[in-house]
Amino acid sequence: MNGPLTIKGLAANESAVPDTLPARWSPDAGNSTHHAEVTTHLDNVLPALESLRSQSGRLAEWGTELAKRLLSGQRLLAAGNGGSAAEAQHLTAELVGRFDEERAPFSAISLHAESSAVTALSNDYGYEEVFARQVRAHGRAGDVLILLSTSGRSPNLLKAARAAKERGIITWGLTGTGPNPLADSCDQAIIVDAISANAQEGHLIAIHAVCRAFDAEVARRAGSYGAATSGGGQP
């Protein structure tokens, strides 16, 4: 060899990764700016919470309606991209598992969590079709599809909403600041009026609020069933 081995222009005895982080990445306990950034972020949670509080009636309606449908044998489908995918999967886990108290499991599927289907559909049909095709495969009339997006503009979610309407599936959108195309495309929407990161945090609160109403309705119906049969348990 005519010279030292190089990696992207670096000599072999040089490290591609610095031993110390650049100054802009290093925490500085004496710099009040970092604290200001954190407190500003936390302060910005409040508009998201107030936005949700103003829509508490709809959150309660969603939980109650979802309980009625899933108790009748329908299912929930959910989808999102990135952080919204994580939030959607959080919701389906609460329903298949449990939220607070022990109860029966319910059918809830996160469309983005099916990795082989997602990659195959993306490869064969394009990422814009990745959820719509799954909606057509799994969805039945009377099911619920919930779509999460802080921007409300993701093309694959918009196509999923259209596919759901073709199948008679009710569509709910959980979005960031409106108006936005996803909120307009869904049958109903909860719009969290906050910047993107805080809107996404608001989505988790919204999910838990829906679960709270869902469990309350399941428990109410179980109580009514138990009183009528002198038995108890899940309806």
Side-chain angles (χ1 to χ4, degrees):
M1 298 178 68
N2 296 326
L5 177 66
T6 60
I7 302 174
K8 293 185 179 179
L10 294 175
N13 61 352
E14 294 181 33
S15 174
V17 179
D19 292 332
T20 58
L21 293 174
R24 66 181 184 278
W25 296 343
S26 301
D28 181 359
N31 187 341
S32 63
T33 301
H34 303 312
H35 183 254
E37 289 294 327
V38 169
T39 55
T40 297
H41 178 85
L42 295 176
D43 288 344
N44 284 333
V45 175
L46 299 177
L49 185 58
E50 287 303 315
S51 181
L52 287 172
R53 185 181 290 276
S54 71
Q55 300 170 87
S56 59
R58 174 156 288 180
L59 289 167
E61 290 170 3
W62 281 13
T64 303
E65 182 63 24
L66 189 60
K68 291 177 182 177
R69 288 176 182 260
L70 269 57
L71 283 166
S72 297
Q74 307 301 140
R75 64 163 57 107
L76 173 72
L77 304 177
N81 296 291
S84 294
E87 300 289 13
Q89 202 164 337
H90 189 130
L91 172 59
T92 57
E94 300 281 25
L95 296 173
V96 176
R98 65 180 183 184
F99 179 53
D100 275 337
E101 301 299 326
E102 190 62 49
R103 56 155 166 73
F106 292 93
S107 181
I109 301 172
S110 289
L111 302 179
H112 52 273
E114 188 64 44
S115 59
S116 292
V118 166
T119 52
L121 296 174
S122 298
N123 187 61
D124 294 343
Y125 300 98
Y127 194 60
E128 290 188 6
E129 294 291 337
V130 71
F131 298 137
R133 192 166 178 88
Q134 290 187 78
V135 167
R136 295 187 187 100
H138 298 304
R140 303 292 183 268
D143 288 348
V144 177
L145 172 66
I146 185 165
L147 301 168
L148 294 85
S149 171
T150 55
S151 71
R153 290 176 170 77
S154 301
N156 55 9
L157 300 182
L158 295 172
K159 289 197 172 187
R162 287 196 288 272
K165 290 194 174 184
E166 293 168 4
R167 291 290 192 274
I169 299 167
I170 187 173
T171 53
W172 294 341
L174 192 53
T175 77
T177 301
N180 61 72
L182 183 59
D184 294 339
S185 297
C186 290
D187 295 313
Q188 294 184 359
I190 298 289
I191 295 172
V192 181
D193 190 13
I195 61 174
S196 182
N198 298 113
Q200 194 159 83
E201 292 159 348
H203 289 177
L204 176 57
I205 296 172
I207 284 167
H208 281 168
V210 168
C211 289
R212 186 72 66 192
F214 178 92
D215 276 13
E217 179 63 12
V218 169
R220 186 189 72 81
R221 287 174 172 251
S224 297
Y225 178 83
T229 62
S230 300
Q234 296 291 343

